[in-house]
Amino acid sequence: MNCEVCQLKELDIEHFEIREVLRCILHTVLFHRALGLVRPKDIDLELFEITYVQCGDVELERKIDEKIDQFIDRVEKHPNKKNQICLSFYEVKNKQATWFTNKVERLYWEQWYINLNVAQHPKGISGKSYSSKVVVDPGAESRSARRAALETSLRDVLFQIIRFVNEKKDHIPPIPNLEGVSFPYEITISSSSDSAFGMDMLKRMLQTGHPTMLS
Amino acid sequence: MDLHNYPSQGENGRFEQILNQFLLKSLHIILDSRVPANRPSSRSGQIKKSDKCLSFWNRTLMEPMIIDIILVRESPNSSHTMLSNDVFTETVVERWIVQHESQSQRSTPPQTSDYKKTYKKSIILLRSVYSMLRLLPAYKAFRKKSSLKQSCNFDINYKVCSFSSPFSRDEEHSMKKYSFVPVEAQQGRLSVSVIYREDLSDFNLDAFVSCPLEIITDYVGSPLTDPMRAFSIRENHHSAPSRRHSWTSGGLHRDVSLLHNHNQPLSGSPPLYRSPYEYSHSPTDAYINKNQNQRLTSFQKTSSEDLLSPPLSSSPSPSPPTYFSGGNIQSRPVSIPHPMMSRSPKYLSPNLSDPSRHHSLPPLSPRNTKYDPSSHESSSGIRSMRNTPISLGQKVSRDAKEDSGRFSSLLSSSSSPRVGFSRSSSRLSFQDDFGDCDFSCPFIVDDVDPPDMQMSPNLDARNSSEVSSQTSSTAKKSQDAAVGALVHMLRTAPPLRQDSSCYNSSQSSKIEMEGEIGAASEFFNPRKTSDALEELKTYKEMKNLLLSKSNAHMAGKGKIEN
């Protein structure tokens, strides 16, 4: 059983958009992995004209919000690095107590990487002026353009998720739990420099079957 | 999809169950996401329609299920026609195609785990369809229709059939197709695809929201829409303190105008300091706050100053307290009672010339009454005795009466401290008179009978010791303050003629003075009237002795010269 990895499209977002974007993406992925009895709940984003679907599980919402808070803290601590959230689905193998370790073995069969590039300047107004004819409110126009572009990108990310979940179905293990999210999962946060970013991803891909040490 | 309601019919049966459930579920999902439930029975009507459709597909599972989402709008040309019939334009904005493609050839018999996988995959497919329905453009129209309900100018309809008319070329160019990954199974595969109109701007969905909004009767309003409301609220909030102190505004201005304008400018001029309570954003509010705070601080000053409390003004000028101390008088003229004014001046001022003083004391002895007290004469006598050169005989004879009168007058009006004063003056006068003669006894014998004849002074040098003893005993009994004053006068007196006789007398007098000083210093006792009378007697005796001595001396001199 291989581990399917999906690298979602990188999004350039503002600090105040982190929560909504992450909620949208994470809930969309988990909704496609909650194969049991669910009560779908439509959530409208406040910053974008996008509606996503939640499982309707209160515990799931709480866990996701906690992780988002951790991500925000990480972003504040490492502002000059690319931040990434990894949503991993694993399968618990039989507990085999060996003399090396007594930990439970996890077999990751799917990993989702959400790549966010949080802008440092919350206003998002570029300091460049390309023409002498200054618009009355150039900041508002740039913000609206950026917002529209981000909405399109987010919509593309959602389409990407739908496409991936439809294309990759064979690697999904049997359903252990019909309540809520059917499969055990974990959300990890990492921030790495541009040079080491690819290495971390490669390490995770090679570490299939071992728990990620990044959290 | 609920597979438990279906009886176990083997793997084929289970697959058909999955298929049926899948079709039903997909139909529900699509209709629920596109056709708003405007009518109460609409949802049940949809279910009934879907059941009918499903029953139809039960017979022919191989035919696809085509679901058209139709946007019904009023034709633009209908407004120009006079026909009562409305012409509506229907446009298919979405077409969902749910299809099962069976496989006739089966290489291996189906297993139990197969339908589980098929079930799992079909569920994932349904999840995807569910999510996709929210991402397509038609969802926006659905949301608008659902929110506006009857007041919307367009309608959304649907059509479920197994066949559909193909789209025109123009429609195909304006529409996109998205096909979901089918669910592969041994019995066939489930596929779902959608053809949708990507751009709905031609339909002006936003323009359709031209219906009147609901009127909220209990609308409160927000500061954003009504800035003046916020301003009025703030003003009312601040007007309370202004009203509280409004009565001081006029008085404040009056008082401030009276004050020395060292502290702050008067009202009407912009304040010079920023209030710590300023928090408003509008300049008007800021100005109101500043003024009111200025009034408050000034009010504090006024109240404090009106109450004659220590001024709270930060100004270093001391004018406010001084002003208000006087200002209070101006505002509230109060006659300050002077209880001292009602007193008789005789008790206050040691005016020796008051003729009424002697009435306060008991009358003198009859001996003393020979000399009628005359304050006027006594005072003049004092002055004459000081200024004129020494002519002892005349002066003494002339002044004897005056002295006695003076003494009597002095004693009549004197209390103990003033007696000392009077005595000092008398002693001084006598010192001038008897500068040349032997001054063995500083005390003048008064006409008043002394209580003891031994106390009478003796000016003769030979009797100086007796006199000194007498005087010392007198001083013991009488008072020492007068003695001390006499000693002081004798020491500070101008020098006399340096005669041998005078020198001898002065020496003896010095000796006597020393003795008297030593005696006087020991007796600083409170005095009484009887003591004063006794002292007066001794003074008279001393005076007589001095006079006798001086007459004898003058007589002797006159004989020598001759």
Side-chain angles (χ1 to χ4, degrees):
Chain A
M1 187 178 297
N2 56 344
C3 177
E4 298 290 341
V5 178
C6 179
Q7 288 287 345
L8 296 177
K9 179 183 177 181
E10 183 174 330
L11 299 175
D12 296 326
I13 61 175
E14 300 290 340
H15 193 276
F16 65 96
E17 297 168 340
I18 292 176
R19 188 173 298 276
E20 277 213 329
V21 169
L22 284 180
R23 278 180 179 171
C24 176
I25 296 174
L26 290 173
H27 278 287
T28 301
V29 175
L30 289 169
F31 176 69
H32 289 87
R33 293 293 179 255
L35 305 182
L37 182 64
V38 295
R39 291 176 177 81
K41 185 168 62 176
D42 296 339
I43 304 298
D44 299 329
L45 293 180
E46 297 179 358
L47 302 176
F48 312 100
E49 287 189 6
I50 294 175
T51 301
Y52 68 96
V53 186
Q54 291 185 0
C55 299
D57 188 359
V58 179
E59 184 65 22
L60 177 63
E61 294 176 16
R62 185 187 64 81
K63 290 182 180 179
I64 289 178
D65 289 339
E66 288 179 0
K67 288 298 178 180
I68 292 174
D69 294 337
Q70 295 178 9
F71 180 81
I72 293 174
D73 293 338
R74 180 69 69 91
V75 168
E76 292 176 353
K77 290 179 181 178
H78 304 278
N80 297 323
K81 294 183 178 180
K82 289 190 176 181
N83 300 284
Q84 189 181 65
I85 286 187
C86 179
L87 174 58
S88 304
F89 295 95
Y90 58 91
E91 191 178 9
V92 179
K93 283 297 183 184
N94 296 330
K95 299 178 182 180
Q96 294 180 357
T98 63
W99 66 282
F100 285 106
T101 177
N102 293 326
K103 293 183 179 180
V104 176
E105 186 179 3
R106 293 181 177 182
L107 290 176
Y108 292 88
W109 50 270
E110 190 173 87
Q111 288 178 336
W112 298 81
Y113 290 95
I114 305 169
N115 301 301
L116 299 177
N117 187 17
V118 182
Q120 296 304 318
H121 299 284
K123 292 185 178 181
I125 298 174
S126 61
K128 298 179 181 179
S129 59
Y130 294 97
S131 63
S132 60
K133 295 180 180 180
V134 181
V135 192
V136 177
D137 190 4
E141 291 184 359
S142 63
R143 282 196 297 271
S144 61
R146 190 199 63 81
R147 184 71 57 82
L150 179 58
E151 181 177 333
T152 303
S153 299
L154 182 57
R155 198 180 294 272
D156 294 340
V157 168
L158 299 179
F159 281 122
Q160 185 181 1
I161 294 173
I162 294 173
R163 193 178 310 112
F164 183 86
V165 297
N166 278 272
E167 293 176 356
K168 308 289 183 181
K169 295 176 186 175
D170 297 331
H171 66 287
I172 299 174
I175 300 173
N177 184 17
L178 292 177
E179 296 293 332
V181 180
S182 305
F183 308 98
Y185 68 96
E186 69 176 5
I187 302 173
T188 57
I189 303 170
S190 63
S191 59
S192 59
S193 60
D194 295 342
S195 60
F197 179 75
M199 291 303 296
D200 288 339
M201 186 182 67
L202 184 62
K203 286 180 181 178
R204 291 200 198 101
M205 293 176 66
L206 294 175
Q207 287 176 357
T208 302
H210 295 279
T212 57
M213 300 305 294
L214 299 176
S215 64
Chain B
M1 291 191 298
D2 187 8
L3 301 178
H4 298 284
N5 293 332
Y6 288 84
S8 175
Q9 299 177 356
E11 298 300 326
N12 293 331
R14 291 187 177 181
F15 181 77
E16 290 181 358
Q17 294 174 5
I18 294 172
L19 181 60
N20 288 330
Q21 290 294 322
F22 180 83
L23 292 174
L24 182 61
K25 203 67 179 178
S26 60
L27 183 61
H28 287 170
I29 291 172
I30 294 170
L31 295 181
D32 287 342
S33 302
R34 288 294 182 265
V35 182
N38 293 329
R39 292 174 293 277
S41 61
S42 62
R43 188 167 185 86
S44 61
Q46 291 178 2
I47 294 174
K48 290 179 180 178
K49 290 180 180 179
S50 62
D51 290 339
K52 290 179 181 178
C53 297
L54 186 61
S55 64
F56 174 76
W57 267 285
N58 284 333
R59 295 180 298 173
T60 57
L61 293 176
M62 302 306 296
E63 292 181 357
M65 180 177 67
I66 300 174
I67 305 168
D68 287 342
I69 305 300
I70 302 166
L71 190 65
V72 182
R73 56 175 176 160
E74 187 176 359
S75 174
N77 297 325
S78 63
S79 61
H80 299 286
T81 59
M82 298 301 294
L83 297 176
S84 60
N85 297 328
D86 295 332
V87 177
F88 295 97
T89 302
E90 296 182 350
T91 306
V92 177
V93 294
E94 282 184 359
R95 175 169 289 176
W96 292 84
I97 301 170
V98 181
Q99 188 173 351
H100 169 251
E101 299 176 0
S102 60
Q103 293 180 357
S104 60
Q105 297 180 354
R106 294 178 183 178
S107 58
T108 57
Q111 296 180 358
T112 306
S113 62
D114 293 338
Y115 86 92
K116 288 183 179 179
K117 292 181 181 180
T118 303
Y119 175 75
K120 180 176 60 181
K121 294 177 182 179
S122 63
I123 292 177
I124 294 173
L125 180 58
L126 288 176
R127 300 283 193 269
S128 301
V129 171
Y130 195 94
S131 298
M132 184 61 72
L133 284 165
R134 275 114 186 103
L135 295 177
L136 295 178
Y139 184 71
K140 183 178 180 181
F142 162 74
R143 290 295 298 270
K144 289 186 181 296
K145 181 62 181 177
S146 300
S147 60
L148 299 177
K149 296 181 180 180
Q150 299 292 336
S151 59
C152 199
N153 292 332
F154 70 96
D155 198 0
I156 297 177
N157 205 353
Y158 71 96
K159 185 173 69 174
V160 181
C161 60
S162 61
F163 62 91
S164 62
S165 59
F167 292 114
S168 64
R169 285 189 178 181
D170 296 336
E171 290 177 343
E172 288 182 354
H173 290 304
S174 63
M175 301 185 80
K176 274 192 171 182
K177 185 177 181 179
Y178 182 83
S179 299
F180 292 88
V181 175
V183 175
E184 298 290 344
Q186 289 188 345
Q187 295 81 2
R189 67 175 186 175
L190 293 172
S191 62
V192 178
S193 63
V194 59
I195 301 171
Y196 63 95
R197 189 178 288 271
E198 186 179 17
D199 187 10
L200 296 180
S201 60
D202 297 337
F203 299 92
N204 295 326
L205 294 179
D206 294 334
F208 290 147
V209 190
S210 61
C211 52
L213 298 175
E214 294 181 5
I215 297 175
I216 302 174
T217 58
D218 57 348
Y219 180 69
V220 176
S222 65
L224 297 176
T225 57
D226 189 3
M228 296 304 295
R229 184 187 185 88
F231 178 79
S232 62
I233 291 173
R234 289 177 181 174
E235 191 175 12
N236 292 332
H237 176 69
H238 295 304
S239 62
S242 69
R243 288 200 209 97
R244 191 167 61 222
H245 306 291
S246 61
W247 63 271
T248 61
S249 62
L252 169 63
H253 299 327
R254 182 184 69 247
D255 293 335
V256 171
S257 62
L258 293 176
L259 278 174
H260 299 286
N261 295 326
H262 298 291
N263 304 334
Q264 293 172 4
L266 299 178
S267 64
S269 62
L272 299 179
Y273 69 99
R274 294 187 66 83
S275 166
Y277 308 102
E278 178 182 323
Y279 57 89
S280 61
H281 299 285
S282 63
T284 309
D285 287 342
Y287 182 74
I288 290 174
N289 291 334
K290 289 178 183 178
N291 281 339
Q292 291 178 359
N293 284 312
Q294 180 186 8
R295 291 174 189 170
L296 285 173
T297 54
S298 301
F299 167 70
Q300 292 173 357
K301 295 177 187 176
T302 306
S303 61
S304 64
E305 290 161 348
D306 285 336
L307 297 176
L308 298 181
S309 62
L312 302 178
S313 172
S314 59
S315 170
S317 164
S319 58
T322 59
Y323 166 77
F324 276 93
S325 60
N328 269 334
I329 294 176
Q330 290 185 6
S331 60
R332 292 192 300 263
V334 176
S335 60
I336 301 174
H338 295 284
M340 297 298 289
M341 295 297 292
S342 62
R343 293 184 183 177
S344 172
K346 63 181 180 182
Y347 295 111
L348 298 177
S349 61
N351 190 0
L352 303 177
S353 61
D354 192 356
S356 62
R357 286 181 297 151
H358 66 281
H359 296 292
S360 61
L361 291 177
L364 297 174
S365 62
R367 185 173 179 180
N368 194 18
T369 55
K370 292 180 181 181
Y371 309 96
D372 291 333
S374 171
S375 60
H376 179 70
E377 293 178 355
S378 62
S379 60
S380 60
I382 291 174
R383 285 192 293 273
S384 61
M385 292 174 72
R386 285 185 180 182
N387 296 327
T388 58
I390 295 171
S391 173
L392 185 61
Q394 298 176 357
K395 196 171 283 292
V396 171
S397 63
R398 185 184 66 215
D399 293 335
K401 298 179 182 179
E402 296 174 352
D403 292 338
S404 61
R406 182 180 72 251
F407 282 127
S408 61
S409 63
L410 288 173
L411 288 173
S412 63
S413 63
S414 65
S415 57
S416 50
R418 283 188 284 275
V419 170
F421 175 76
S422 62
R423 289 204 183 101
S424 62
S425 61
S426 62
R427 296 294 176 268
L428 180 60
S429 62
F430 283 109
Q431 180 64 33
D432 293 335
D433 292 338
F434 303 105
D436 295 336
C437 59
D438 294 338
F439 187 70
S440 59
C441 179
F443 300 100
I444 297 173
V445 175
D446 200 344
D447 292 338
V448 179
D449 294 336
D452 190 1
M453 291 302 296
Q454 292 179 356
M455 298 297 292
S456 60
N458 189 357
L459 296 177
D460 191 3
R462 288 175 292 181
N463 298 327
S464 62
S465 60
E466 296 179 355
V467 174
S468 63
S469 63
Q470 292 176 357
T471 53
S472 63
S473 61
T474 304
K476 289 180 183 177
K477 290 184 180 178
S478 52
Q479 304 11 346
D480 36 31
V483 173
L486 179 60
V487 169
H488 178 71
M489 282 193 296
L490 291 173
R491 285 185 175 178
T492 57
L496 301 174
R497 281 188 299 174
Q498 300 297 330
D499 290 338
S500 59
S501 60
C502 294
Y503 179 77
N504 294 328
S505 63
S506 63
Q507 285 183 344
S508 60
S509 65
K510 287 179 180 178
I511 294 171
E512 293 172 354
M513 288 297 292
E514 290 176 0
E516 292 168 4
I517 291 170
S521 62
E522 296 175 1
F523 302 100
F524 278 86
N525 297 323
R527 296 174 56 82
K528 298 179 181 178
T529 307
S530 58
D531 297 337
L533 290 174
E534 291 175 359
E535 187 178 4
L536 180 61
K537 290 179 180 180
T538 55
Y539 292 156
K540 286 184 177 180
E541 290 175 0
M542 289 171 61
K543 173 189 144 183
N544 294 329
L545 284 173
L546 286 173
L547 285 174
S548 60
K549 288 288 183 181
S550 64
N551 290 331
H553 180 69
M554 291 300 293
K557 264 193 171 181
K559 291 179 180 179
I560 294 171
E561 288 177 354
N562 293 331

